[in-house]
Amino acid sequence: MRRRNLTLAALAAGGTLAMLPGAAAWSAEGSYPDKPLRLIVGFAPGGGADALTRIIAEGLSKQLGQQVIVENRPGADGVLAAQATSSAKPDGYTLLMGTNTAMVAAPTLRPTPPYDPFKAFTPISSAGQFSMFLVVPASLPAKSVNELLAMVAAKPGAYNSASSNSASELAMLQLLGERKVVNARYKGDMQAMTDLLGGQIHMMFTTGTLAPGFVKEGRIRALATLLPQRSALLPDVPTGGELGLGKLTITPWAGFFGPPGLPQAITDKLSQELQNTLKRPDVHAQLVQQGFEGYGMSPVKFAEFFRAQYEAFGATVRQHNVKFE
């Protein structure tokens, strides 16, 4: 009887403790995670985004001591994956690998946005940026960005560009400004690259997965990268910042989000472990091979970066009256 009373008293005390400020957060952080996590990605297995998600998931699993299961939910420009995350229980066991497509393009370009990205998710950490290079065929005389822009300005409408996603298309619009170039939209970078190699396309922003090999073969020329620092894949290629192209604010990025209402203690723990994951030598080496520059951010810094990207994307869309089908 005495032990029963003590147990009841302890439970009562625990209930009181849970109502104290910070007590719930402390408890969640102390026991989390105690089961596998689900990491949702809005692209099909085998693609670039899926590959890097699985690399990071494996590293995060080692950091947390729990399995991180990658779940593919392709379709609707990543919206299906985003909605599945947004509606999940905010307990830290369902996360989203979000990219420009679902987090910026879909809510910006659709007449009826599928969600408010700043209310429907909790920013946790950046994952990093896809390596993107401005490339031209080797047959084009331009040896620099300035030479390319001068050529385009001298013959309005005589040149064309290619893109396979909204980030690359808007980055090209920012680069060109008022200069007139016809853009051809492709379903994938490889199809666009094939036409660039054949001379039918004059310029494009392409990924680090494709560009390095063709540059080293001398078949294309890389003039600039959208990364904030030079890429180890093509270290001789300058950044937009080095070239004074401060207007290139569109960057193809990826980051981690949770459902709305994710407890701060869990958000902070996940963010720190994701940052540690991206610093792991094994993870870093594999991401570099995928043409991905991995780096983490605190939740606050990532939220600031996310909003800046959203606003830059929207401003470019409005400025150029971009319409996507």
Side-chain angles (χ1 to χ4, degrees), residues 12-255:
T16 302
L17 177 62
M19 292 184 288
L20 294 176
W26 179 89
S27 176
E29 184 181 39
S31 62
Y32 173 85
D34 59 7
K35 63 180 181 180
L37 284 70
R38 180 173 60 142
L39 178 55
I40 304 177
V41 58
F43 300 91
D50 172 70
L52 69 91
T53 300
R54 292 180 185 278
I55 292 168
I56 297 173
E58 183 178 356
L60 181 60
S61 177
K62 294 175 182 177
Q63 289 294 133
L64 293 174
Q66 285 289 344
Q67 187 178 9
V68 180
I69 302 169
V70 175
E71 179 179 317
N72 300 88
R73 289 212 181 185
D77 292 329
V79 170
L80 299 180
Q83 289 176 326
T85 304
S86 181
S87 62
K89 185 178 179 180
D91 56 6
Y93 291 97
T94 299
L95 309 176
L96 171 71
M97 167 66 93
T99 67
N100 302 63
T101 305
M103 308 311 292
V104 173
T108 301
L109 297 170
R110 294 192 178 192
T112 303
Y115 36 70
D116 180 334
F118 302 109
K119 294 180 179 179
F121 307 94
T122 298
I124 298 172
S125 171
S126 62
Q129 293 182 331
F130 297 91
S131 298
M132 291 287 282
F133 298 94
L134 172 64
V135 299
V136 297
S139 58
L140 202 71
K143 301 293 193 299
S144 68
V145 173
N146 285 337
E147 289 182 9
L148 176 65
L149 294 178
M151 288 174 56
V152 172
K155 295 183 178 180
Y159 298 95
N160 59 33
S161 64
S163 65
S164 63
N165 57 72
S166 55
S168 61
E169 184 163 345
L170 293 194
M172 185 64 74
L173 286 173
Q174 284 191 334
L175 173 69
L176 296 173
E178 298 302 317
R179 301 172 185 86
K180 302 300 181 184
V181 167
V182 177
N183 184 71
R185 189 71 182 267
Y186 289 76
K187 291 183 178 181
D189 258 19
M190 191 62 244
Q191 296 96 318
M193 179 62 73
T194 298
D195 284 353
L196 185 98
L197 293 169
Q200 293 94 341
I201 295 295
H202 302 115
M203 68 198 78
M204 66 180 285
F205 278 103
T206 190
T207 66
T209 303
L210 286 179
F214 292 120
V215 169
K216 292 171 183 176
E217 290 174 5
R219 301 178 67 186
I220 65 174
R221 191 178 301 115
L223 306 182
T225 177
L226 288 180
L227 287 170
Q229 63 284 317
R230 293 196 181 200
S231 170
L233 296 171
L234 293 172
D236 294 332
V237 178
T239 67
E242 290 179 70
L243 298 174
L245 302 174
K247 59 188 177 182
L248 294 181
T249 57
I250 298 296
T251 55
W253 55 270

